[in-house]
Amino acid sequence: VYITGGLAPVLQRGADEVYRATYRRVMERNRRYYQRYPGDVAKVREIVAHLEALGPQGAQLAGGGRLTATRFLTLGLMLGGGDGIESMHWLVEDAFVTLVGDSSQRELDMRFLQKVEASSSFDTNPIYWLMHESIYCDGPGVASRWAADRVLQEPEFSEVFDHRSALAEPDKPVYFTGEMVYPWFSEDFSTLGELREASEILAAKDDWSRLYKEEALKNTAVKVAAAVYYDDMYVERAFSEELASLLGPNCKIWVTNEFQHSGIRDDGFRILDTL
């Protein structure tokens, strides 16, 4: 069996520990982004400040949704790809246009808004929002209860990802979030509003069946070769290594920092040839 994107966090019974680990990875990815493109600190701050000034309705998008500061910052999801840092850099490069006749007035470019809307697939793929956190609910008594949103309020993360706090300090980078979903998506994404009730039911559901049987996985007779990306923003390396230990000697992992999570897309031949 070939696995090309890390191993599941089988030994973590709920989503909370998964999100604590991945928020830390997102923090590091933000740091690397701004280290590579320090000029983007001011660009992102200007975009976020502009969206904040527009109020809770944000900027209206062509598909009917609204671009708020918090929605914009979820585009950090792209940072976990091999070209993610560059993609973010080019996205924010020309976000504004200057109004004719008044050089002091700037507004978000329609082309920028179109790119932002196209970068989020929740409107066309709502099951991602509905079911994402349930993949970590392994067994009875475990409910997600909007785990990413709850963990974000913990002291370790609350100030780091608080865009308003960042804007209050001159030159402080505003951090993006990552592969997380939040309850307020139903307000910002045009097609998700009608699914709000369903999302709350799923978030509260605590009678899931077991996803994994540890005894069946232990010292597996199946030969497994897995690529584990050292700096993976989506799949915590330490959890992958824990599962590899459970699977036993028939599981071989290739831990590499040559690729991000998108390794199979970026150089599939190299990944599979190595495995």
Side-chain angles (χ1 to χ4, degrees):
V1 175
Y2 295 123
I3 300 174
T4 62
L7 298 170
V10 170
L11 301 181
Q12 311 300 315
R13 286 296 305 282
D16 292 33
E17 283 304 315
V18 173
Y19 283 118
R20 290 187 184 103
T22 50
Y23 270 128
R24 294 179 189 118
R25 294 288 181 186
V26 174
M27 289 161 59
E28 174 61 17
R29 200 66 179 155
N30 272 276
R31 187 190 68 78
R32 293 189 182 188
Y33 163 54
Y34 287 122
Q35 183 181 53
R36 186 175 301 179
Y37 295 112
D40 286 3
V41 171
K43 292 184 174 74
V44 173
R45 284 177 60 92
E46 184 180 12
I47 294 168
V48 173
H50 180 85
L51 292 170
E52 279 289 285
L54 294 177
Q57 294 305 311
Q60 293 304 300
L61 298 172
R66 62 189 191 185
L67 182 61
T68 59
T70 47
R71 174 170 173 173
F72 169 69
L73 293 171
T74 64
L75 294 180
L77 175 65
M78 74 172 64
L79 293 176
D83 62 353
I85 286 178
E86 282 65 38
S87 296
M88 183 66 75
H89 171 66
W90 291 114
L91 176 67
V92 305
E93 181 72 10
D94 294 303
F96 288 92
V97 292
T98 301
L99 299 185
V100 176
D102 188 350
S103 60
S104 66
Q105 293 294 315
R106 285 156 61 82
E107 64 179 27
L108 291 171
D109 191 329
M110 178 186 68
R111 290 165 294 186
F112 168 77
L113 294 174
Q114 288 176 331
K115 291 176 184 177
V116 168
E117 188 170 30
S119 297
S120 297
S121 61
F122 295 105
D123 277 322
T124 54
N125 301 279
I127 199 169
Y128 189 124
W129 176 59
L130 289 169
M131 301 297 295
H132 182 66
E133 292 196 347
S134 68
I135 68 175
Y136 304 120
C137 297
D138 187 9
V142 181
S144 67
R145 297 184 294 113
W146 296 112
D149 194 49
R150 289 186 293 99
V151 171
L152 188 61
Q153 309 310 315
E154 295 178 0
E156 181 180 357
F157 310 111
S158 58
E159 184 172 352
V160 173
F161 290 100
D162 184 347
H163 62 277
R164 295 188 179 96
S165 175
L167 290 177
E169 299 184 36
D171 304 320
K172 184 176 181 179
V174 178
Y175 272 23
F176 293 88
T177 54
E179 191 186 30
M180 292 84 183
V181 294
Y182 302 98
W184 52 261
F185 277 20
S186 63
E187 300 170 6
D188 285 6
F189 290 87
S190 61
T191 65
L192 300 186
E194 295 180 356
L195 298 173
R196 177 60 187 266
E197 184 178 355
S199 73
E200 294 295 341
I201 292 172
L202 287 168
K205 180 179 170 63
D206 63 359
D207 58 349
W208 302 97
S209 58
R210 289 300 306 270
L211 288 170
Y212 309 103
K213 294 182 179 179
E214 293 175 22
E215 284 304 312
L217 294 170
K218 188 174 182 180
N219 294 320
T220 180
V222 178
K223 293 187 180 297
V224 179
V228 175
Y229 306 116
Y230 189 85
D231 298 312
D232 199 321
M233 197 181 83
Y234 310 120
V235 181
E236 171 55 39
R237 168 175 43 85
F239 297 159
S240 292
E241 293 172 334
E242 288 176 358
L243 178 55
S245 295
L246 177 69
L247 292 173
N250 275 332
C251 177
K252 307 297 184 184
I253 60 173
W254 171 40
V255 180
T256 177
N257 65 356
E258 294 182 57
F259 301 97
Q260 292 297 320
H261 190 76
S262 58
I264 191 66
R265 181 182 69 207
D266 298 335
D267 194 348
F269 179 84
R270 171 75 193 289
I271 298 293
L272 292 172
D273 186 57
T274 301
L275 294 179

